[in-house]
Amino acid sequence: MAPNKIIIDTDPGVDDVLAMLLAFSARPEELEILMLSITFGNVDVQNCLRNIVTLFHYIEKERAWRRSQGKPEGFEALNVRKPIVAVGATEPLAEQMMVADFFHGIDGLGGIHESHPHLSPTETWKSLFEPPPESMSSEEASVLQKAKDEHSLFEPSLNYAPDEMLRVLKENDPDTITIVAIGPLTNLAIAAAKDPETFLRVKEVVVMGGAVDVPGNPPDLQHIYSPTTLSVPIPNFHLTKQPDTPLRRQLNIRNQMTPGAEFNTYADSVASARVFALTSPNPRTTMPPTLSTHPKSALPDYPTSLSKQLKLRLFPLDITTPHLLPKQLFNAHSEKLEASPLAQWAGAFLASTFQKIWSMRPDQDIEGVGLELHDPLTIWYALSPSDAKWVFKEDEDVRVETSGQWTRGACIVDRRGKGMSMGEGDVESEVVGDAGGWLDSRRGNRISRCVGTPGEEKFAGVLLERVFGAVL
C-alpha cells in the first residue's frame, strides 16, 4: 500500500513537536512527509523554526544513541525522504498579531532554550535559511557545509512556504498529497489565493482548529475566577501584539482570549474563513468581508468557477481535548528510558508544560494533569485514515466569524440542514462576501468534522510507544 504523502503546516509549540515526532516515527509504508511549512502562531516564526531544527537535532542524537544500544533506530520515515523546511507567514492576514506563549512559553517549548541552553543546538543552522553571499570565501563555504552536515535530516528552503507548498503540489499527481494544518491557516490561505487550482490538487486538508459545541481555549471559563486560580501569580506573556495600553492589559488578564474560539482560528480568522470557503460549491458566498483598513488582507478573490471543492476534515477542540497525555504516564514511560536523548529533551519541556497546566487548574492534583493532544491527533488520523473507527459528520456548514469583538475566530454551525429554501437570484451576480444564505443549498461551506476516533484512552500509549520506543 502506498504511503500517505503529507505536508505539515505548523507553529511549534509543544503539541506540534509531539505531532511531528509522531509523524516521523511512521513506517515508510504509512507516511511520506514531503514538507514542513512554518507559520507564526504559538510563538513567532523564528522561534518556531528553531524548535523544528532542534527537533531534528534530537532525532539525530536519539538514533545514534539507539544504534549504540543495539536498538532499532526508529523514525523510519526519514530513511525515505528528507522533508523540505520552509518559513512562511510571520503575521495574520488582517488581525492584530497574537501568539500563545502564555501557554507554550516564550520560545514555544516552555522556555527550554533559556532554562536548558545545553539542550539547544548551536545556532550555525541559521545560515541554512539565509541567502549565501555572492562571493563566498573557502572558510565561509566550509562553515556552511559543516552546518549542512550537522543538520542533514531536512532540506532547508529559502523559498516562501506558500510558494514551496504550491510547487510540491504541482510536481505531484493530483489527489495524492494531504496537508495537515496544525497552526493558523495563513500559509494555506496565501497559497490558495495565489493559485487556487494548484492548491485544489490536494487530496484533502486536515485542520486542527475550531470549537463547535465546547468553549474556546484557554482556559475553562468556570475556573478563571475561582479562589485557587486567582491565588496563582499571573504569568509573564504577550497575548496581543499591540502597544501596551489599558485595553491590552485587560485582554491579557488570566490568559483570556475569547469564550467561543479555538486558538488557531482566532489567530487568523480571515485565513480560516478563506480556506473553509473553498469547500463551498460557490466559494464567493462564504468569503470573509474585505477589511479596507488592512491592505495586506486584500488577497485576490477566488475565480467564479473552480474545478472542484476542497475536501476539508476538521478536528476541533470537541474531539481533540479528551485525548490526553497524562503526566504520570509520560513520567513512568520516560523514567525507563533515562539515557535517551529524546526522552531527556521532551521531559524538560513537558515538565514546564505540565506545571503550566496545573497553574491553570491548581484545584487538581499536579500528578493528575494531562496535556491535551490537539495536534498529534491529526497525525494519528494521517497514519490510519482508512480505520473505520474514525467517524466524521459530513457536509456541515461551518463558518468562521471574522468581525466580532468577542466572537473572532468562533465557528458558527447551521444545524438546520440545507434545502429548506433554494434561495432567490443568481448566486454569481451577487457581491462577493458572506451574506448568510444559510438555508440556500447553493451556498455555505461543506466541512467534514471528526466526531469519533479509535480511542481516547488508547492514543497516549500509541504516541509514547511510537515516538520513544516500547518499554519492556
Side-chain angles (χ1 to χ4, degrees):
M1 183 176 176
N4 193 7
K5 295 182 178 182
I6 66 170
I7 293 171
I8 303 176
D9 191 74
T10 178
D11 60 334
V14 173
D15 57 332
D16 300 71
V17 165
L18 293 178
M20 286 183 284
L21 286 170
L22 180 60
F24 291 125
S25 73
R27 295 184 293 275
E29 65 270 20
E30 292 177 320
L31 285 184
E32 184 176 352
I33 302 99
L34 306 182
M35 175 184 174
L36 302 180
S37 164
I38 307 174
T39 179
F40 80 96
N42 289 321
V43 287
D44 65 275
V45 77
Q46 286 303 313
N47 271 304
C48 290
L49 176 58
R50 175 167 61 171
N51 291 339
I52 283 181
V53 172
T54 307
L55 175 149
F56 281 113
H57 175 70
Y58 273 92
I59 290 177
E60 200 148 27
K61 289 172 70 72
E62 179 72 8
R63 295 175 82 180
W65 175 76
R66 291 182 185 181
R67 284 195 304 272
S68 73
Q69 301 298 306
K71 300 174 180 285
E73 286 187 4
F75 301 100
E76 295 178 32
L78 289 169
N79 294 337
V80 178
R81 176 186 288 271
K82 294 200 299 183
I84 298 162
V85 175
V87 177
T90 60
E91 60 183 352
L93 295 177
E95 295 103 344
Q96 292 169 332
M97 173 75 169
M98 186 270 268
V99 296
D101 59 6
F102 58 85
F103 180 81
H104 292 271
I106 196 68
D107 61 3
L109 291 178
I112 189 174
H113 294 290
E114 182 175 334
S115 63
H116 296 69
H118 61 287
L119 296 182
S120 301
T122 58
E123 296 196 345
T124 54
W125 58 265
K126 289 185 175 181
S127 62
L128 302 177
F129 296 92
E130 298 170 352
E134 292 184 7
S135 56
M136 190 182 302
S137 68
S138 58
E139 184 178 350
E140 289 172 328
S142 175
V143 170
L144 181 59
Q145 186 58 51
K146 183 180 178 182
K148 289 179 179 179
D149 294 341
E150 289 176 350
H151 303 282
S152 60
L153 292 182
F154 64 89
E155 190 69 43
S157 173
L158 299 182
N159 295 330
Y160 190 42
D163 295 332
E164 195 71 51
M165 187 183 296
L166 290 171
R167 184 189 66 79
V168 171
L169 288 169
K170 193 174 293 185
E171 292 180 357
N172 285 267
D173 292 336
D175 300 316
T176 59
I177 295 177
T178 295
I179 298 177
V180 181
I182 53 179
L185 296 183
T186 317
N187 283 340
L188 276 68
I190 293 171
K194 284 188 171 189
D195 191 342
E197 288 297 345
T198 295
F199 185 79
L200 288 173
R201 290 169 66 91
V202 72
K203 178 181 177 181
E204 63 182 6
V205 173
V206 178
V207 174
M208 189 283 119
V212 177
D213 291 318
V214 297
N217 65 350
D220 291 345
L221 298 181
Q222 68 263 31
H223 297 287
I224 289 177
Y225 295 112
S226 69
T228 48
T229 298
L230 291 174
S231 68
V232 177
I234 299 174
N236 179 28
F237 59 86
H238 313 286
L239 179 58
T240 325
K241 297 296 187 183
Q242 64 180 36
D244 186 15
T245 63
L247 174 60
R248 173 185 171 180
R249 288 192 290 272
Q250 284 299 309
L251 288 171
N252 280 348
I253 289 176
R254 293 288 155 195
N255 301 348
Q256 291 184 75
M257 182 168 77
T258 163
E262 176 273 333
F263 173 79
N264 288 339
T265 55
Y266 181 83
D268 196 339
S269 64
V270 172
S272 295
R274 288 186 64 103
V275 174
F276 282 26
L278 284 171
T279 69
S280 172
N282 292 286
R284 66 199 310 270
T285 66
T286 57
M287 287 283 280
T290 300
L291 305 178
S292 59
T293 57
H294 296 276
K296 60 185 170 64
S297 71
L299 294 178
D301 297 327
Y302 299 132
T304 55
S305 178
L306 290 169
S307 61
K308 60 184 283 192
Q309 293 169 238
L310 176 68
K311 183 177 182 180
L312 190 150
R313 295 200 182 276
L314 185 66
F315 286 70
L317 292 179
D318 312 51
I319 196 68
T320 61
T321 299
H323 294 77
L324 299 173
L325 174 59
K327 179 177 185 288
Q328 286 181 324
L329 181 62
F330 174 77
N331 288 346
H333 195 94
S334 61
E335 281 170 4
K336 298 175 182 178
L337 299 167
E338 59 180 346
S340 156
L342 184 62
Q344 291 174 8
W345 177 60
F349 67 73
L350 283 172
S352 62
T353 303
F354 288 131
Q355 184 70 23
K356 172 62 184 177
I357 295 168
W358 176 80
S359 77
M360 296 165 67
R361 291 280 306 275
D363 54 319
Q364 63 180 321
D365 180 0
I366 189 170
E367 292 304 315
V369 303
L371 172 66
E372 295 166 356
L373 297 171
H374 303 296
D375 296 338
L377 190 65
T378 62
I379 298 296
W380 197 22
Y381 166 73
L383 284 166
S384 56
S386 60
D387 190 325
K389 293 179 181 177
W390 292 105
V391 182
F392 293 88
K393 190 169 184 180
E394 303 291 347
D395 293 333
E396 278 196 314
D397 188 358
V398 183
R399 308 190 201 180
V400 178
E401 174 61 62
T402 60
S403 56
Q405 180 182 2
W406 300 118
T407 55
R408 164 183 157 185
C411 286
I412 311 301
V413 184
D414 190 349
R415 295 176 174 84
R416 296 171 294 180
K418 299 289 182 186
M420 296 176 66
S421 168
M422 285 300 295
E424 298 179 358
D426 181 2
V427 172
E428 299 303 326
S429 68
E430 295 180 4
V431 175
V432 172
D434 192 344
W438 290 92
L439 302 180
D440 189 336
S441 60
R442 302 169 299 173
R443 296 172 168 82
N445 297 328
R446 306 290 192 272
I447 303 293
S448 177
R449 175 165 64 97
C450 185
V451 294
T453 76
E456 295 174 9
E457 301 297 327
K458 177 182 178 182
F459 184 35
V462 170
L463 185 146
L464 289 174
E465 184 169 336
R466 278 180 171 267
V467 172
F468 298 100
V471 175
L472 301 178

